[in-house]
């Protein structure tokens, strides 16, 4: 069984997917972490990320995902990149990496193989639209831009006390623009997706709504 959750940056996809997967006893597969780990790998190996979308030859990327104490760990070619995934520099550069079609292909193939063996809740930007258009249930999580910026500010300010609401809002707007206008796999509402707006809802309330749909289908 595959349940997909797509939506823009800061809409709460990951937190919702995490809680939903716990309630269903499914695996939470965070697809963005593969793009983030690839970004960390490419930085470490001195690739010019800003021109990434035009690279036709990409390095060998052998992904391993496993779960240690419930935490998704991402390895590339045997090295663990989990601790770097949420760094702000990675957040800024990951969209460039995600616009490379060869990297997308490697990640898409990996996701398809991984999910054959597990019941999964997968969150991302193209999961219900391009990677798993035939998923059992597809959700699209939306949220007002100011609320998304507030949520991200709360996460970021521990790591970066000087960051402002305006900075974060600007970064999110740029990412929305980029994700929605990408040539390959842009962020769209997948066909047949159930749209939930999380602006005034807690994570628990969003998950309760999702469970109502899931139980109605099963
Ligand atoms: O959701 P996130 O912020 O962790 O995603 C990191 C980057 O990867 C972001 O630029 C969007 C991209 N991404 C994607 O293109 N397709 C996905 N399924 C997930 C993420």
């Amino acid at each position: 069984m595959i349940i997909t959750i797509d939506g823009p940056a800061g809409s709460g996809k990951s937190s919702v997917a995490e809680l939903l997967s716990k309630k269903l006893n499914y695996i939470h597969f965070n697809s963005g972490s593969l793009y983030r780990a690839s970004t960390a790998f490419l930085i470490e190996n001195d690739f010019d990320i800003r021109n990434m979308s035009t690279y036709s030859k990409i390095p060998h990327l052998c992904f391993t995902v496993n779960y240690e104490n419930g935490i998704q760990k991402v390895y590339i070619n045997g090295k663990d990149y989990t601790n770097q995934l949420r760094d702000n520099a990675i957040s800024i550069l990951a969209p460039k990496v995600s616009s490379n079609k060869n990297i997308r292909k490697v990640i898409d193939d990996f996701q398809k193989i991984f999910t054959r063996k597990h019941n999964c809740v997968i969150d991302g930007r193209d999961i219900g639209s391009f990677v798993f258009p035939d998923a059992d249930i597809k959700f699209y999580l939306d949220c007002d831009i100011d609320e998304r910026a507030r949520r991200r500010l709360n996460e970021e300010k521990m790591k970066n006390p000087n960051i402002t609401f305006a900075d974060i809002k600007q970064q999110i707007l740029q990412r929305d623009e980029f994700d929605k206008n990408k040539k390959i796999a842009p962020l769209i509402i997948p066909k047949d997706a159930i749209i939930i707006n999380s602006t005034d809802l807690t994570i628990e309330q969003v998950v309760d709504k999702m469970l109502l749909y899931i139980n109605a289908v099963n």
Side-chain angles (χ1 to χ4, degrees):
M1 174 100 162
I2 297 178
I3 298 175
T4 63
I5 307 178
D6 289 296
S11 58
K13 298 178 304 264
S14 298
S15 314
V16 163
E18 181 68 22
L19 182 61
L20 181 64
S21 61
K22 282 210 172 80
K23 294 218 171 187
L24 294 169
N25 204 16
Y26 282 17
I27 278 180
H28 169 204
F29 190 98
N30 176 279
S31 64
S33 65
L34 300 188
Y35 291 96
R36 288 172 177 270
S38 306
T39 307
F41 173 90
L42 293 164
I43 293 172
E44 193 176 87
N45 289 282
D46 295 327
F47 279 78
D48 178 6
I49 307 265
R50 290 184 194 277
N51 291 316
M52 204 64 220
S53 59
T54 55
Y55 270 53
S56 55
K57 227 173 158 315
I58 57 160
H60 175 69
L61 297 170
C62 176
F63 291 99
T64 310
V65 168
N66 61 32
Y67 292 81
E68 291 168 29
N69 301 322
I71 294 172
Q72 180 184 322
K73 297 267 189 179
V74 185
Y75 298 78
I76 298 180
N77 302 347
K79 180 166 177 195
D80 184 358
Y81 286 92
T82 313
N83 287 340
Q84 298 162 57
L85 299 182
R86 306 309 305 178
D87 290 356
N88 204 36
I90 303 283
S91 301
I92 291 167
L93 293 171
K96 300 273 178 210
V97 173
S98 76
S99 63
N100 182 293
K101 71 172 187 323
N102 298 315
I103 292 179
R104 295 201 79 84
K105 168 95 178 69
V106 177
I107 291 178
D108 287 359
D109 289 349
F110 177 78
Q111 291 174 145
K112 285 176 185 154
I113 293 167
F114 186 92
T115 51
R116 270 189 219 144
K117 292 174 265 170
H118 309 278
N119 284 323
C120 288
V121 177
I122 313 185
D123 67 295
R125 313 285 162 107
D126 62 341
I127 300 300
S129 47
F130 297 97
V131 188
F132 297 106
D134 299 322
D136 299 278
I137 303 183
K138 300 187 262 186
F139 292 104
Y140 184 87
L141 203 55
D142 215 344
C143 183
D144 175 82
I145 175 72
D146 283 350
E147 178 58 20
R148 290 194 278 141
R150 265 192 293 277
R151 291 175 188 173
R152 272 286 144 88
L153 184 64
N154 281 339
E155 286 168 19
E156 275 300 311
K157 69 181 175 210
M158 303 279 273
K159 283 188 276 171
N160 182 358
N162 295 328
I163 199 144
T164 65
F165 176 83
D167 294 336
I168 299 258
K169 185 170 171 179
Q170 185 56 24
Q171 280 176 16
I172 293 182
L173 282 170
Q174 273 172 4
R175 285 185 64 189
D176 281 359
E177 183 71 11
F178 189 90
D179 286 335
K180 286 182 178 162
N181 294 304
K182 267 201 310 238
K183 286 205 181 73
I184 28 168
L187 174 67
I188 55 168
I189 300 175
K191 186 169 174 292
D192 304 327
I194 297 149
I195 303 169
I196 298 180
N197 190 311
S198 75
T199 309
D200 298 316
L201 300 177
T202 63
I203 295 164
E204 287 76 12
Q205 287 169 326
V206 174
V207 169
D208 286 346
K209 266 183 186 281
M210 289 178 166
L211 287 169
L212 286 178
Y213 287 108
I214 295 166
N215 293 333
V217 168
N218 286 327

